[in-house]
Amino acid sequence: MKSFNFLLPNRSDKPRNNGLTMALDKGLGYETGKSLMEIAGDYVDLLKFGWGTIVVHDRDIVMKKIKMYKSFDIIPYPGGTLFEIAYSQNKVSNYFKEAASMGFETIEISDGSTDMKTEEKLDFIATAKDKGFNVISEVGKKDPEKDSKISIDERVESIKDEIKAGSSKVIIEAREGGKNIGIFDKSGNAKDEEVNYLLKNLPNEKIIWEAPNKDQQIYFVLKVGSEVNLGNISSNDITSLETIRRGLRGDTLGKI
């Protein structure tokens, strides 16, 4: 039982299909990660090992962390950049084998840093699903100039195509900083008209909005509701986000 349990607003329990929190592991030690999950694991649904961080860490420790996250009913998976590194080295087949052998059941397929053709990306999504992986894909470019050239209609069509190809969820790129990328302007403010358009034309339960900053998390909770899917949440902000979702912080108190 939680302390002051009589003041705790209800929220759906895990496993959830909506209201997902995707948190980042950017190199947490095993004991640090375990301690964090002991106090906040109820509020994490997906745990992304950021970009290529696990390549520089001991394989046995990474596998131990994968098993630990799973013990808290959390889905761990490697970030899309690692897949793109494998793609750029023509080692995707090896990547799939290694991911499976390490215990990953979910992988991310993205093209944010590479010039992958649309057909290639869709084929990789379908292939990964055929191999038994749960696939999360990501739409958007990590370079602001390249990303700005993607129209809102192109984003919608890409997301629809990737869902059709087999993605269970599609992430809308915002990077770790959440500024000047995708739906966020240079100051990190959401472009409301674009968000409205995406909400109108896409299945909300299939979308994970990257929202690394507190103001962005508040924006989406107030706009979409406490059961919005949010990603790129810092490990330090897991509890903070849950209080935002439940109206336990001044920003959302009485507004949910």
Side-chain angles (χ1 to χ4, degrees):
M1 178 182 291
K2 304 295 190 294
S3 58
F4 294 91
N5 191 60
F6 57 92
L7 297 177
L8 182 65
N10 291 328
R11 195 160 94 77
S12 57
D13 296 324
K14 295 196 295 185
R16 290 180 277 258
N17 189 47
N18 290 314
L20 304 182
T21 291
M22 178 263 278
L24 284 176
D25 180 328
K26 299 181 287 185
L28 293 174
Y30 174 79
E31 295 297 340
T32 301
K34 183 179 179 183
S35 294
L36 180 60
M37 293 308 108
E38 285 175 344
I39 194 167
D42 285 349
Y43 316 125
V44 180
D45 303 276
L46 300 162
L47 197 293
K48 179 192 290 192
F49 289 87
W51 51 100
T53 52
I54 55 176
V55 175
V56 296
H57 292 154
D58 184 87
R59 188 177 190 271
D60 289 340
I61 295 176
V62 174
M63 290 177 66
K64 188 178 177 182
K65 287 170 68 178
I66 292 169
K67 186 176 181 180
M68 178 270 290
Y69 286 129
K70 286 182 177 181
S71 74
F72 287 95
D73 294 321
I74 294 168
I75 299 172
Y77 70 98
T81 298
L82 190 60
F83 167 78
E84 293 185 57
I85 293 169
Y87 167 78
S88 66
Q89 296 182 18
N90 196 29
K91 295 177 180 177
V92 172
S93 179
N94 303 79
Y95 175 82
F96 287 152
K97 291 177 182 178
E98 177 74 345
S101 69
M102 291 182 68
F104 286 115
E105 298 171 81
T106 294
I107 60 171
E108 180 182 321
I109 292 179
S110 64
D111 60 351
S113 301
T114 53
D115 294 323
M116 192 183 305
K117 293 180 180 179
T118 299
E119 295 76 11
E120 286 183 293
K121 186 179 183 184
L122 296 177
D123 284 345
F124 285 132
I125 292 171
T127 298
K129 186 177 180 182
D130 287 344
K131 289 182 177 293
F133 288 108
N134 171 49
V135 181
I136 296 173
S137 59
E138 184 175 64
V139 168
K141 293 294 184 180
K142 298 190 183 299
D143 181 281
E145 185 176 346
K146 290 182 178 180
D147 189 78
S148 67
K149 295 177 181 178
I150 305 173
S151 72
I152 190 69
D153 285 319
E154 288 173 328
R155 290 186 201 276
V156 168
E157 290 308 308
S158 293
I159 291 168
K160 287 181 176 179
D161 288 343
E162 292 177 20
I163 292 171
K164 186 177 180 180
S167 294
S168 63
K169 304 288 182 185
V170 180
I171 300 168
I172 296 182
E173 176 72 77
R175 301 209 67 180
E176 189 185 356
K179 294 182 179 180
N180 201 28
I181 291 286
I183 56 166
F184 296 116
D185 64 21
K186 292 181 179 180
S187 298
N189 298 313
K191 301 173 186 176
D192 203 53
E193 289 187 7
E194 292 194 12
V195 173
N196 287 336
Y197 190 84
L198 292 169
L199 287 170
K200 180 180 178 181
N201 290 279
L202 294 168
N204 184 53
E205 72 278 3
K206 292 286 189 179
I207 305 304
I208 298 177
W209 308 86
E210 287 192 339
N213 302 321
K214 184 192 77 170
D215 289 347
Q216 296 165 351
Q217 296 158 18
I218 293 167
Y219 167 84
F220 277 110
V221 168
L222 292 178
K223 187 173 188 67
V224 182
S226 61
E227 297 300 289
V228 64
N229 301 322
L230 297 177
N232 270 20
I233 306 303
S234 167
S235 58
N236 293 327
D237 293 334
I238 294 168
T239 295
S240 171
L241 171 57
E242 190 64 21
T243 61
I244 290 171
R245 288 187 186 275
R246 300 204 191 204
L248 296 171
R249 186 168 179 151
D251 308 279
T252 55
L253 177 62
K255 301 175 183 177
I256 303 298

